[in-house]
Amino acid sequence: MFVKFFRHFIAGFNVVSILNLVFNKRKSKSRRIDMAFPSGRHFLQIPGPTNVPDEVLRSMDMPTIDHRGPDFSRLLLGILDKLRPVFGTDRVVIFPSSGTGAWEAALVNTLSPGDRVLMSETGHFSSLWHEMATRLGLEVDLIPGNWRHGADPKEIEARLKEDKDHLIKAVAVVHNETSTGVVSRIPQVRQALDNAGHPALLLVDTISSLGSLPYDHDGWGVDVTISCSQKGLMLPPGLGFNAVSPKAMDISNRGGGMPRSFWDWGDVVKANERGFTHYTPATNLLYGLDKSLDLLLEEGLDNVFARHRRYGEATRHAVRAWGLGILCENQEEYSQVLTAVMMPEGHDADALRKVILENFDMSLGAGLSKVAGKVFRIGHLGAFNDVTLAGTLAGVEMGLQMAGVPHREGGVQAAMRYLAETA
């Protein structure tokens, strides 16, 4: 009799019943699934560093070679050739550094203490670049922003037209603001300089956009492009890049800029012409860069950009279906590499991220400085496919339910429908 009753009792627990037990909103918000011994890979869905493809990891697992020998020279010259279509220019300088180092290299090679720089406040990283410029002795004219829009070309043009004496020596803009998921329209910023007839240099941070969003250093009239390795280039951190226009290079070669040694472009370019560097290079990262560039170029850059557009739109379909807000307010400025999602009033994004990490072994990007606790960021860039996105969004939706965050169900299904329609 007892056995018969037990069988009927167990049979009543279908999948829906079990899920309701696990995710019941009436239970404590801190309820956890036992993840003491998580299986499967960790989901790293922050907007950088991104997941490194297995092929790239294996390419770095090599003996370190003589960086003054012929094998290294062939490696470096091949890399510089492959970088040209990615940046859209011939002259790219590589430093063993973070993106912050590449920022500093751009400033110290072209500007002197006391020079005026026009910057736009578009988020956390534009603010950090502003802080660096100030610490280096530059005078920054800051166009304030609410972190929900990109740089305003009209306001930049107006500021430059007011500068009759051409005291502003550079305009510095972050292309893809990693903290907010907002893209600034660089061709329109270039047009603003041209409309104003202003000779200022155009400096552009592509740290989280290069290799993921369309970019053309020469075609867009950029003077210095700043980037690094751990985002769209699908590598670990450790390489910084400057793409340099003839105008910017001429300023540096004529002794312009600030005192510098390690960051001096001239030394790097001279050594690169022979296939070498004037410092000890990050050789194994260069092995990885060689492979990651092969992957990008074999897929085709236009296909890479289309893939990111598709994942950005699928993610936004999910966010809208959940009934949550997107931090970026202008659809023309939506980032295709990450989405910053706004939390409902009274709910903390970091608490949600903690629930998702502890229960599903997935990392999401935190809100930074002004938007700390108010947004979480979903990275959808780099080595990324349909199933990765579906898994990421499933983890977010399960986390929203488990953390008791008000939302509508069906975000994952909305994204999957879009992916199926656009496959």
Side-chain angles (χ1 to χ4, degrees), residues 327-347:
L327 185 62
C328 179
E329 288 188 317
N330 183 353
Q331 293 186 17
E332 294 182 5
E333 296 177 332
Y334 279 156
S335 172
Q336 312 301 352
V337 303
L338 76 132
T339 301
V341 184
M342 300 174 67
M343 293 290 286
E345 192 69 30
H347 292 267

Side-chain angles (χ1 to χ4, degrees), residues 147-167:
W147 291 33
R148 303 191 70 179
H149 296 89
D152 184 347
K154 292 182 179 178
E155 181 63 23
I156 291 173
E157 182 176 334
R159 295 287 188 103
L160 294 174
K161 285 181 175 178
E162 292 171 0
D163 181 32
K164 303 296 185 183
D165 295 327
H166 295 167
L167 298 178

Side-chain angles (χ1 to χ4, degrees), residues 15-321:
V15 174
V16 174
S17 301
I18 294 171
L19 288 175
N20 283 337
L21 281 177
V22 175
F23 298 115
N24 195 326
K25 295 179 184 178
R26 292 171 297 178
K27 300 294 183 182
S28 168
K29 292 182 181 180
S30 62
R31 181 178 181 127
R32 292 184 54 193
I33 297 171
D34 185 6
M35 290 291 288
F37 300 99
S39 62
R41 73 168 180 84
H42 174 69
F43 261 57
L44 181 67
Q45 303 315 139
I46 62 176
T50 60
N51 295 292
V52 180
D54 287 342
E55 304 97 311
V56 175
L57 288 171
R58 288 194 294 269
S59 72
M60 293 189 291
D61 186 16
M62 295 281 287
T64 301
I65 58 175
D66 175 13
H67 59 280
R68 297 288 180 259
D71 289 342
F72 180 86
S73 179
R74 283 190 291 271
L75 172 68
L76 181 60
L77 290 173
I79 287 171
L80 293 172
D81 186 57
K82 294 173 187 177
L83 282 172
R84 291 187 178 101
V86 176
F87 280 91
T89 194
D90 287 337
R91 181 177 286 119
V92 180
V93 176
I94 307 174
F95 292 105
S97 76
S98 65
T100 305
W103 270 352
E104 185 161 335
L107 296 177
V108 300
N109 276 279
T110 58
L111 300 167
S112 299
D115 282 351
R116 285 176 60 189
V117 182
L118 182 61
M119 290 183 157
S120 296
E121 182 191 8
T122 54
H124 177 73
F125 292 101
S126 69
S127 299
L128 288 180
W129 203 8
H130 171 200
E131 179 185 335
M132 173 187 285
T134 302
R135 292 176 68 176
L136 290 172
L138 301 171
E139 299 292 331
V140 178
D141 294 349
L142 184 66
I143 299 174
N146 67 355
W147 291 33
R148 303 191 70 179
H149 296 89
D152 184 347
K154 292 182 179 178
E155 181 63 23
I156 291 173
E157 182 176 334
R159 295 287 188 103
L160 294 174
K161 285 181 175 178
E162 292 171 0
D163 181 32
K164 303 296 185 183
D165 295 327
H166 295 167
L167 298 178
I168 295 173
K169 302 303 180 185
V171 176
V173 180
V174 175
H175 184 208
N176 185 84
E177 177 54 70
T178 320
S179 66
T180 62
V182 177
V183 174
S184 289
R185 292 161 284 175
I186 303 305
Q188 293 184 27
V189 174
R190 175 71 259 175
Q191 190 62 51
L193 274 80
D194 295 343
N195 290 345
H198 202 289
L201 296 169
L202 177 56
L203 280 54
V204 178
D205 168 344
T206 67
I207 284 174
S208 62
S209 60
L210 189 79
S212 301
L213 302 182
Y215 188 78
D216 188 350
H217 175 95
D218 287 346
W220 292 358
V222 179
D223 291 295
V224 186
T225 297
I226 296 96
S227 202
C228 65
S229 56
Q230 74 267 22
K231 309 277 188 174
L233 295 181
M234 304 178 292
L235 289 164
L239 296 177
F241 304 90
N242 283 167
V244 185
S245 73
K247 179 180 176 181
M249 196 72 205
D250 183 59
I251 291 172
S252 181
N253 287 340
R254 287 189 289 105
M258 305 179 196
R260 57 195 180 272
S261 176
F262 181 83
W263 301 120
D264 190 83
W265 289 336
D267 291 340
V268 180
V269 170
K270 289 176 184 176
N272 285 175
E273 289 172 352
R274 298 178 290 109
F276 300 111
T277 62
H278 81 296
Y279 44 72
T280 302
T283 305
N284 288 62
L285 280 174
L286 293 176
Y287 284 138
L289 176 60
D290 190 47
K291 174 55 71 172
S292 70
L293 291 171
D294 284 344
L295 296 178
L296 289 172
L297 297 175
E298 287 168 7
E299 182 177 356
L301 292 175
D302 288 342
N303 294 327
V304 172
F305 304 148
R307 174 164 55 85
H308 284 81
R309 281 195 301 272
R310 185 164 167 265
Y311 294 146
E313 188 56 39
T315 302
R316 292 187 289 271
H317 271 62
V319 175
R320 295 187 190 105

